Amino acid sequence: MTPVGEVRASSPVGAFRTAIEIATAVSKGNLSAREVIEEHLASIAAADGEIHAFNEVTSRAALDDADRVDRLVAAGEDPGLLAGVPVALKDNLCTRGAPTTCSSRILAGWRPPYDATVVRRVREAGGIIIGKTNMDEFAMGSSTESSAFGPTLNPLDRSRVPGGSSGGSAAAVAAGFAPLALGSDTGGSIRQPAAMCGVVGMKPTYGMVSRYGLVAFASSFDQVGPFARGVRDAAMLFEAIAGHDEADSTSLDRPAPAVTTLLGGGGNGFRVGVVSELVDAASADVARRVREAADLLASCGSSVEEVSIPMCVYSLTAYYLLAPAEASSNLARYDGVRYGLRVDAPTAEQMTTATRSEGFGDEVKRRIMLGTYALSAGYYDAYYARAQRVRTLILEAFNAAYERFDVLLAPTTPTTAFALGSKTNDPLAMYLSDVCTIPSNLAGHPAMSVPFGVGDDGMPVGVQVLAPALAEPVMFQVAAVLEDGSPPVGHGAVAAERSPAHGGTAEGTSG
Amino acid sequence: MRFKDWYGAAEGAYLRLAGATRRVVVAGLSMGGSLACRLAADHPEIAGLVLINPFIEPPAESFREILRATLAAGTEIAPAVGSDIAKPAISELSYPGSPLAAALSLFEGLDDLVADLDRISCPVMLFSSRQDHVVPVTTGDFLMERLKVPVRRTWLEHSYHVATLDYDAEIIESSAVAFAREVLDGVAGQESTPAARSGAVMESHEGLAVERSAVRERRVEAPAARITIEEVAHVARLARLSLSNSELEQFTGQLAAVLDHAADMDRVDISAVAPTSRPLPVQNVMRDDNPHSSLERDEVLSQAPRVENDRFLVPRILSEGQ
């Protein structure tokens, strides 16, 4: 793991603190938010030139926000749950006045006139936005290679992808650039890169977190969720952003569930099902880790059984018709009139066509085409309408499984992180890397990826915990048991966090 | 390496095996299928032939001219063909490149083989993947038209070219073993009418369907026609995208692959199923009818490409003469 060593050696001591440690120390006045931000900016400056986790580092605003938090603490006021904690934002979350590009040429330089609800909530909780992270263009991709601004490299092995589409957020957390990040998950875009970078990534129940200010990809799938180096940190960020928002018509009318208080340690008596079809879709080393995770849960007092959900095999197909169909409609707004790129042409229609043809990359064009075709006269019934009905059957199949099980266990990804460039010319092969994460998006259910040991190549493996709608509390409890019993992840960031007195950081400074 | 070298190696292996046993069934995948056919044409004593996505139909002269020109221009190695496998996480051991001179020699070997296909006298079992990105799917039809012997054809619904490493590997293995037993017992050669041929095809369809019996399924109907380049051009116009010819060609192939994969869904019985447009029930929500501030006009307009008098400025909507 030489690359991790390099990252760690060049990172200041504080860059691998947990979010909980930072928030606790800052609210007590034992650590200044400014110092925290300065340490993380130094880490970014040292290593992000190569990793390219960020499209934009908002240094000045972050330092101003840190000073504001420090003033609140000095004045004896409550700075909030995330006091002084740096948070990296996927570049499809609107930040007022700061560039929000979706890693697309068509939005390059756009400064939104409003903040996304999750951004506002992070700030209100005392969290500090440190930058905007790279992603697959408009979140369409599984490797962060479709970014118009170049790929992000996996901090653990720079010849590999970090996964995607929220690859920049996952890499930022793994590299110690920020203890927390937000991403969006439409078909696995939080969980898949979390697994490949050896961090925790979580997709909430559809409607649990506001989508207001998240640039839309596929509106019936998109959810915003947290990345962290540990389950408890992820739970804290989830609590900060979840809950009803009247600005999102699909927002659930309920408060955020309390999860952090449940994670004291140990969890017993869960009914756990291991989804055979998803385990079968994975390589042998990844499948072995999932079985070890199941054994761990059994040894901690849960009942564990294999469960077959044959409808799973149709998830990928249904998703790759429905999501592009929604995308083709959502991306119709990029017409060169109100924001973003315009390529001049004599008539409005020619201008729109020229703008879109120059502004969108190949993968985005491909999905718009696929979606437009699936929705077009003559094919609607064969593709879109059929996929919507298959979606119903998948949802019913999972709901039936949850009558017998509290949570389901599966791999997050079929393989560990793959080599840069290895799938860019074969869209179908790229799409297949989402096969284990898509079912939860079709069903609208929560799911999260927890690092659990490494594969044969030494790269981290993610085990996925799937739960029924609104069952985030039990999902986090199971995830915490997995985290506490995980085999070594061989990953500097996580190892550092686990060791009680930051044992790992000493080696960082000596290097 | 040239065709006669490959064939020499294959024939040597066959002769050694034939010297050690009484009857031989030859099996081959892809170019191995070409060599297996050549062996069966030259050795009428071969008892049966198992072909998996064989490469039979010789490429057009125009394509060979391109290869010759590329070769003449100094490029000797083309990008490799390998690992065309649907199953994730499986890859085929293959050479990093394809030598062009060897490919041209293979095509000449195919020219000779096609002329001799009618000499094959043993029963043939043919496996064809519905999606094959290496050998054209039409090559199986091409072969069946030219063979004078009964062919039992099985469609592989879940595999790409390298089907022996793919989802249908077990089906290929068990069917091939059963076929070999039959031909060695001397029963397989009797299904020679076209009706019996199609009977064999239907049978293997059902065999595949059984693999997924836990899901509500129905028989696969004729595969939907593949998307054409004209349709892709039409869709591009609907989506306000202008694509170059090479983009159109590339997208046509890629969209066809995704849509072929989507044909999977045809197996699911959806006749009594309601569509889902959102995963969780959503009710209409009414907010209180109170005035509140909206986005700052100047801030919004500052992000527009062209503005005039506090309005978005666009080129004219109608072209000349409209």
Side-chain angles (χ1 to χ4, degrees):
Chain A
M1 297 277 110
T2 322
V4 182
E6 284 168 18
V7 170
R8 293 194 40 72
S10 55
S11 298
V13 178
F16 283 88
R17 282 196 189 93
T18 71
I20 292 173
E21 285 165 353
I22 293 171
T24 309
V26 168
S27 15
K28 286 183 180 159
N30 297 337
L31 178 67
S32 76
R34 172 168 271 271
E35 193 184 329
V36 172
I37 295 302
E38 282 172 349
E39 283 169 351
H40 285 86
L41 289 175
S43 285
I44 295 169
D48 200 44
E50 200 191 337
I51 292 173
H52 188 208
F54 287 95
N55 284 340
E56 175 93 10
V57 180
T58 50
S59 319
R60 182 173 302 180
L63 289 168
D64 289 348
D65 287 349
D67 290 343
R68 205 189 38 173
V69 168
D70 288 333
R71 280 195 300 273
L72 280 177
V73 174
E77 290 180 45
D78 177 9
L81 185 64
L82 300 176
V85 179
V87 180
L89 296 179
K90 187 175 184 178
D91 207 11
N92 59 355
L93 291 166
C94 288
T95 41
R96 186 170 183 176
T100 299
T101 68
C102 294
S103 288
S104 179
R105 285 188 300 275
I106 213 161
L107 275 181
W110 180 54
R111 292 170 189 267
Y114 64 105
D115 278 329
T117 297
V118 291
V119 173
R120 186 169 51 77
R121 288 191 179 168
V122 163
R123 288 220 179 92
E124 283 170 2
I128 291 165
I129 309 302
I130 198 162
K132 305 295 292 286
T133 60
N134 196 17
M135 56 188 278
D136 281 299
E137 185 177 2
F138 283 104
M140 297 176 189
S142 310
S143 67
T144 316
E145 291 168 293
S146 78
S147 166
F149 310 132
T152 296
L153 312 188
N154 190 314
L156 309 189
D157 175 349
R158 296 178 191 183
S159 69
R160 298 178 195 247
V161 301
S165 66
S166 317
S169 286
V173 171
F177 299 158
L180 298 177
L182 288 178
S184 64
D185 192 314
T186 305
S189 283
I190 292 174
R191 292 160 287 157
Q192 191 256 24
M196 291 187 170
C197 290
V199 300
V200 174
M202 181 255 177
K203 180 198 95 75
T205 302
Y206 183 79
M208 183 64 84
V209 175
S210 171
R211 291 186 296 111
Y212 179 73
L214 166 68
V215 177
F217 162 12
S219 305
S220 80
F221 300 90
D222 297 341
Q223 266 295 281
V224 177
F227 286 93
R229 287 190 295 269
V231 171
R232 289 155 182 88
D233 274 8
M236 183 165 80
L237 181 54
F238 168 68
E239 273 191 17
I241 60 170
H244 181 69
D245 177 19
E246 70 171 19
D248 173 2
S249 63
T250 58
S251 171
L252 293 168
D253 194 5
R254 55 171 62 226
V259 286
T260 47
T261 51
L262 300 173
L263 304 180
N268 300 314
F270 301 113
R271 298 171 302 162
V272 179
V274 181
V275 186
S276 344
E277 285 79 5
L278 299 181
V279 176
D280 289 349
S283 61
D285 54 342
V286 172
R288 193 163 58 241
R289 291 302 189 187
V290 177
R291 296 194 192 289
E292 285 172 18
D295 292 345
L296 169 69
L297 293 175
S299 74
C300 295
S302 290
S303 67
V304 177
E305 252 181 77
E306 286 257 334
V307 55
S308 169
I309 306 180
M311 277 307 300
C312 268
V313 300
Y314 298 105
S315 299
L316 192 81
T317 300
Y319 174 82
Y320 274 101
L321 292 170
L322 294 175
E326 294 187 18
S328 74
S329 164
N330 272 327
L331 272 62
R333 72 190 61 177
Y334 302 101
D335 54 8
V337 173
R338 291 153 297 166
Y339 34 67
L341 181 73
R342 173 182 295 190
V343 175
D344 288 318
T347 71
E349 184 173 335
Q350 288 164 354
M351 179 276 286
T352 294
T353 300
T355 298
R356 292 163 63 81
S357 305
E358 187 168 319
F360 292 136
D362 272 358
E363 184 57 30
V364 172
K365 286 179 184 168
R366 195 150 40 232
R367 300 222 194 167
I368 290 175
M369 298 280 292
L370 188 56
T372 306
Y373 180 74
L375 289 172
S376 65
Y379 299 102
Y380 181 91
D381 288 331
Y383 293 113
Y384 185 71
R386 179 173 287 275
Q388 282 192 309
R389 288 172 165 81
V390 169
R391 185 176 189 182
T392 304
L393 292 174
I394 291 166
L395 182 53
E396 287 172 359
F398 273 88
N399 283 338
Y402 288 126
E403 286 173 12
R404 294 170 51 210
F405 299 103
D406 299 313
V407 296
L408 298 173
L409 219 56
T412 308
T413 55
T415 63
T416 56
F418 44 88
L420 283 158
S422 62
K423 297 188 180 181
T424 40
N425 290 325
D426 187 349
L428 194 55
M430 187 70 90
Y431 299 170
L432 282 165
S433 57
D434 301 337
V435 71
C436 300
T437 45
I438 282 174
S440 304
N441 299 87
L442 288 166
H445 292 160
M448 67 192 289
S449 179
V450 185
F452 198 85
V454 295
D456 290 345
D457 54 6
M459 293 299 287
V461 169
V463 168
Q464 195 182 188
V465 184
L466 298 86
L470 311 178
E472 277 87 352
V474 66
M475 180 177 80
F476 269 107
Q477 283 177 286
V478 173
V481 175
L482 291 178
E483 178 176 65
D484 293 344
S486 162
V489 180
H491 165 194
V494 173
E497 186 193 345
R498 289 251 168 68
S499 75
H502 317 305
T505 54
E507 131 206 351
T509 46
S510 67
Chain B
M1 291 288 275
R2 296 295 180 267
F3 191 84
K4 64 175 170 42
D5 302 312
W6 301 314
Y7 183 63
E11 192 172 36
Y14 165 71
L15 291 173
R16 278 195 299 283
L17 192 59
T21 181
R22 233 158 28 86
R23 306 195 72 194
V24 174
V25 174
V26 180
L29 165 83
S30 187
M31 181 186 149
S34 335
L35 294 171
C37 283
R38 183 74 254 172
L39 276 174
D42 293 349
H43 295 272
E45 71 279 10
I46 285 175
L49 205 47
V50 177
L51 304 171
I52 304 114
N53 297 325
F55 187 20
I56 304 293
E57 188 174 0
E61 186 53 34
S62 54
F63 177 66
R64 301 189 208 194
E65 271 169 28
I66 295 170
L67 293 196
R68 281 188 209 105
T70 313
L71 198 52
T75 301
E76 296 187 350
I77 308 283
V81 288
S83 288
D84 181 32
I85 298 174
K87 199 172 181 175
I90 302 282
S91 62
E92 176 194 16
L93 274 177
S94 56
Y95 291 107
S98 301
L100 294 178
L104 287 165
S105 165
L106 170 61
F107 302 161
E108 281 163 22
L110 295 182
D111 293 338
D112 296 341
L113 172 63
V114 168
D116 292 340
L117 282 175
D118 57 0
R119 282 165 47 187
I120 293 177
S121 56
C122 61
V124 176
M125 172 166 246
L126 171 64
F127 292 95
S128 303
S129 294
R130 288 250 188 240
Q131 296 180 62
D132 187 322
H133 311 97
V134 177
V135 165
V137 177
T138 51
T139 204
D141 303 332
F142 178 90
L143 175 66
M144 288 182 68
E145 280 165 23
R146 283 162 182 77
L147 288 173
K148 298 279 187 259
V149 289
V151 178
R152 188 177 300 179
R153 187 174 199 181
T154 300
W155 285 98
L156 303 173
E157 302 289 348
H158 309 293
S159 302
Y160 296 162
H161 182 66
V162 191
T164 47
L165 294 178
D166 216 324
Y167 287 117
D168 298 311
E170 285 176 23
I171 292 168
I172 296 171
E173 195 180 313
S174 57
S175 316
V177 169
F179 171 77
R181 287 222 175 85
E182 275 180 48
V183 296
L184 297 175
D185 294 345
V187 283
Q190 288 154 24
E191 305 163 347
S192 53
T193 64
R197 269 192 208 176
S198 64
V201 174
M202 298 305 282
E203 217 177 271
S204 27
H205 260 310
E206 284 173 358
L208 295 190
V210 170
E211 292 293 303
R212 293 166 167 225
S213 56
V215 180
R216 284 181 265 170
E217 305 212 17
R218 64 189 172 88
R219 177 74 50 76
V220 183
E221 272 141 30
R226 286 174 78 91
I227 188 168
T228 62
I229 198 161
E230 291 77 20
E231 285 175 301
V232 173
H234 174 66
V235 170
R237 279 192 296 278
L238 292 178
R240 301 290 184 268
L241 291 171
S242 137
L243 302 179
S244 69
N245 284 338
S246 68
E247 281 179 310
L248 278 176
E249 269 177 40
Q250 190 194 358
F251 282 4
T252 304
Q254 290 169 337
L255 294 186
V258 175
L259 294 170
D260 283 351
H261 198 267
D264 258 19
M265 289 194 310
D266 293 350
R267 260 184 236 103
V268 183
D269 180 2
I270 51 156
S271 50
V273 182
T276 295
S277 56
R278 284 211 176 72
L280 300 173
V282 176
Q283 308 132 316
N284 200 8
V285 186
M286 309 291 273
R287 68 168 164 76
D288 296 335
D289 190 16
N290 296 326
H292 64 266
S293 58
S294 62
L295 303 176
E296 295 289 332
R297 187 179 63 185
D298 290 347
E299 197 175 354
V300 170
L301 289 173
S302 75
Q303 297 301 306
R306 303 272 189 288
V307 172
E308 192 176 276
N309 298 331
D310 289 342
R311 295 177 180 86
F312 298 114
L313 180 66
V314 294
R316 57 194 161 77
I317 304 295
L318 300 176
S319 55
E320 298 288 340
Q322 280 186 288

